[in-house]
């Protein structure tokens, strides 16, 4: 009896668990369903190409749909921790969804890997949050610098009215002003069911050289359609953006209105590297659609877990995993990346791109690289 109890006590610590469970929570339905579809495909492709065993542990991926509602994300995260005893929480297609899970990660002491959401403050909400997506200031500052150096003097900003949009608005204004440009008006559009028409009319009336835009992944086509209908290009107003607007998932459907749009981001399906060619080819074969940055974020989220488990020799304890993740670096389909050991954000190249037609399809063609960019908001706080 005593022996049985002792054995039971020794048989159950997390370390001895043979299966490492990863709970992937994403909006698989609703307005951000494209993010969920891309992220699930990216995570599964990693497992398809690299197997389901690492450091002697079997990896189990559990995919859940939070419909994009933070209260649902939170409930699912709780259930995954308490009932399924997951070792890692992953996903989070929108900022409010990532924030809803922060207290759960802290309490359960397990990694929350943010593969999609991109408001700068997210990683500061729990010491257990690690990010494989990007931050809006990281992607935006190079856009503002490029605009100022390329004859654009007056800009109106137009962003979705929530965390990442406000980050983009602030980062653009600060960097553009510092480089001699002027933001003449700042417009915020509701996130849900946006009608861009009245805002685009205000842009037209202000008559800037360019309008800088951020809308989240999945909303770019609706914006582009209204942009074309309002005749801004004919009025001499250029469109500049973060790559969320010219998202690879939708870009091809946007048509010629998107041609020539200069934008900045960390991933293009046409990124020219052997790692990306292999990734895109395998992804298209498995899914019949093109990967976007949400697919790469999730693919790298899985890669991060595998690399961390390798480093801990299979110890899936939450603190051990987080410690192992800090400072890890690898070559992603997007280019070289590193987990910043201080902020747990991702350090990566930001590319300046222009939408062009390649073999009859629209792509964000990279033409300049800003190497290994850290989140500028946290870098500034440190100074
Ligand atoms: C967020 C969501 C997106 O789809 C995106 O492209 C960028 C940021 C977010 O909610 O953080």
């Amino acid at each position: 009896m005593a022996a049985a109890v002792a054995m039971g006590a020794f048989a159950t610590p997390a370390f001895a668990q043979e299966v490492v469970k990863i709970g992937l929570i994403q909006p698989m339905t609703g307005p951000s369903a494209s993010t969920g579809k891309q992220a699930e495909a990216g995570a599964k492709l990693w497992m398809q190409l690299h197997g389901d065993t690492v450091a002697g542990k079997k990896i189990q991926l559990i995919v859940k749909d939070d419909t994009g509602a933070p209260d649902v994300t939170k409930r699912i995260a709780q259930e995954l921790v308490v009932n399924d005893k997951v070792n890692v929480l992953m996903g989070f297609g929108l900022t409010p969804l990532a924030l809803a899970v922060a207290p759960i990660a802290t309490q359960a002491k397990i990694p929350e890997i943010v593969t999609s959401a991109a408001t700068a403050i997210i990683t500061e909400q729990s010491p257990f949050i690690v990010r494989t997506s990007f931050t809006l200031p990281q992607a935006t500052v190079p856009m503002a610098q490029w605009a100022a150096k390329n004859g654009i003097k007056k800009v109106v900003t137009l962003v979705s009215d929530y965390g990442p949009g406000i980050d983009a608005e602030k980062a653009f204004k600060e960097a553009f002003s510092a480089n001699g440009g002027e933001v003449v008006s700042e417009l915020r559009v509701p996130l849900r069911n946006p009608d861009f028409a009245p805002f685009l009319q205000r842009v037209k009336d202000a008559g800037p050289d360019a309008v800088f835009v951020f809308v989240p992944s999945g909303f770019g086509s609706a914006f582009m359609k209204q942009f074309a209908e309002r005749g801004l290009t004919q009025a001499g107003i250029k469109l500049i953006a973060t790559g969320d607007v010219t998202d690879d998932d939708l870009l091809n459907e946007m048509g010629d209105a998107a041609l020539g749009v200069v934008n900045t981001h960390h991933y293009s399906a046409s990124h020219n590297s052997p790692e990306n060619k292999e990734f895109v080819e395998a992804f298209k074969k498995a899914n019949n659609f093109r990967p976007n940055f949400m697919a790469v974020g999730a693919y790298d989220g899985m890669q991060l877990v595998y690399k961390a488990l390798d480093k801990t020799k299979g110890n899936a304890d939450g603190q051990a995993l987080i410690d192992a993740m800090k400072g890890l670096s690898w070559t992603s389909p997007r280019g070289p990346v590193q987990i910043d050991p201080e902020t747990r954000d991702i350090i990566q190249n930001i590319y300046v791109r222009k939408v062009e037609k390649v073999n009859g399809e629209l792509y964000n063609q990279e033409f300049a690289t800003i190497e290994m960019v850290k989140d500028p908001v946290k870098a500034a706080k440190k100074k």
Side-chain angles (χ1 to χ4, degrees):
M1 171 72 188
V5 169
M7 270 182 64
F10 281 109
T12 47
F15 198 163
Q17 208 176 301
E18 290 310 315
V19 179
V20 174
K21 294 182 186 174
I22 302 169
L24 179 69
I25 314 174
Q26 283 283 8
M28 307 304 299
T29 52
S32 295
S34 80
T35 296
K37 170 193 79 174
Q38 287 275 349
E40 179 180 16
K44 287 189 169 164
L45 183 65
W46 173 268
M47 294 187 71
Q48 183 197 313
L49 296 178
H50 299 91
D52 63 356
T53 311
V54 54
K57 298 291 157 104
K58 191 105 181 145
I59 307 295
Q60 187 188 346
L61 184 68
I62 306 169
V63 182
K64 298 278 180 185
D65 175 16
D66 66 8
T67 73
D71 53 328
V72 179
T73 318
K74 189 165 185 178
R75 178 177 52 73
I76 293 173
Q78 259 153 355
E79 287 168 3
L80 285 171
V81 167
V82 174
N83 301 340
D84 297 285
K85 312 225 166 357
V86 295
N87 303 85
V88 174
L89 290 164
M90 191 184 285
F92 317 110
L94 294 162
T95 289
L97 315 180
L99 295 178
V101 174
I104 297 171
T106 302
Q107 211 190 358
K109 297 188 165 56
I110 62 170
E112 173 185 347
I113 303 182
V114 177
T115 69
S116 311
T119 303
I121 52 132
I122 290 173
T123 42
E124 293 169 331
Q125 308 312 304
S126 167
F128 286 89
I129 296 179
V130 186
R131 176 150 42 196
T132 58
S133 53
F134 71 112
T135 79
L136 259 302
Q138 186 182 40
T140 299
V141 168
M143 187 67 261
Q145 292 170 337
W146 184 90
K149 286 185 190 120
N150 286 274
I152 294 171
K153 295 190 172 65
K154 284 191 176 167
V155 166
V156 174
T157 60
L158 190 163
V159 301
S160 293
D161 189 7
Y162 77 121
I166 291 158
D167 265 6
E169 177 190 281
K170 280 191 193 154
F172 189 91
K173 188 178 191 171
E174 211 174 290
F176 194 52
S177 311
N179 285 277
E182 187 193 353
V183 170
V184 292
S185 179
E186 294 163 288
L187 307 175
R188 295 179 182 176
V189 187
L191 173 63
R192 298 281 174 205
N193 305 313
D195 178 11
F196 297 105
F199 296 93
L200 288 167
Q201 189 56 49
R202 285 168 67 184
V203 173
K204 210 172 169 184
D205 294 343
D209 300 315
V211 56
F212 164 76
V213 179
F214 163 82
V215 294
S217 186
F219 292 76
S221 333
F223 170 79
M224 203 60 85
K225 190 167 174 284
Q226 295 190 5
F227 181 84
E229 282 167 5
R230 290 272 136 181
L232 274 81
T233 308
Q234 290 82 340
I237 303 168
K238 291 191 179 72
L239 172 58
I240 55 176
T242 62
D244 309 80
V245 179
T246 55
D247 172 357
D248 273 305
D249 193 56
L250 306 170
L251 182 57
N252 222 5
E253 300 156 24
M254 289 183 195
D256 290 356
L259 277 175
V261 173
V262 175
N263 65 90
T264 47
H265 229 213
H266 54 292
Y267 179 69
S268 167
S270 73
H271 177 67
N272 189 6
S273 73
E275 291 81 9
N276 189 48
K277 288 217 169 84
E278 190 197 334
F279 170 75
V280 171
E281 204 169 294
F283 188 96
K284 281 186 178 165
K285 202 170 156 198
N287 301 291
N288 273 319
F289 53 88
R290 189 199 276 193
N292 73 357
F293 62 100
M294 296 303 187
V296 174
Y299 183 83
D300 281 336
M302 293 300 290
Q303 175 151 212
L304 178 61
V305 173
Y306 276 47
K307 284 195 153 49
L309 276 170
D310 254 340
K311 207 166 146 185
T312 64
K313 301 189 168 55
N315 181 1
D317 168 69
Q319 187 66 54
L321 284 179
I322 277 285
D323 290 344
M325 286 174 188
K326 292 177 187 172
L328 272 179
S329 59
W330 66 93
T331 306
S332 159
R334 68 187 99 174
V337 298
Q338 185 186 17
I339 299 301
D340 188 330
E342 287 168 28
T343 65
R344 289 162 276 104
D345 267 319
I346 190 158
I347 305 171
Q348 59 191 336
N349 293 347
I350 298 295
Y351 306 92
V352 191
R353 309 102 56 89
K354 188 184 238 174
V355 178
E356 290 172 358
K357 214 170 245 177
V358 184
N359 299 327
E361 289 192 39
L362 296 187
Y363 280 100
N364 292 293
Q365 293 297 99
E366 297 168 352
F367 64 88
T369 304
I370 299 95
E371 284 181 6
M372 297 312 263
V373 181
K374 288 191 183 195
D375 173 53
V377 174
K378 289 173 208 91
K381 273 186 198 165
K382 269 190 67 195
K383 279 181 191 159

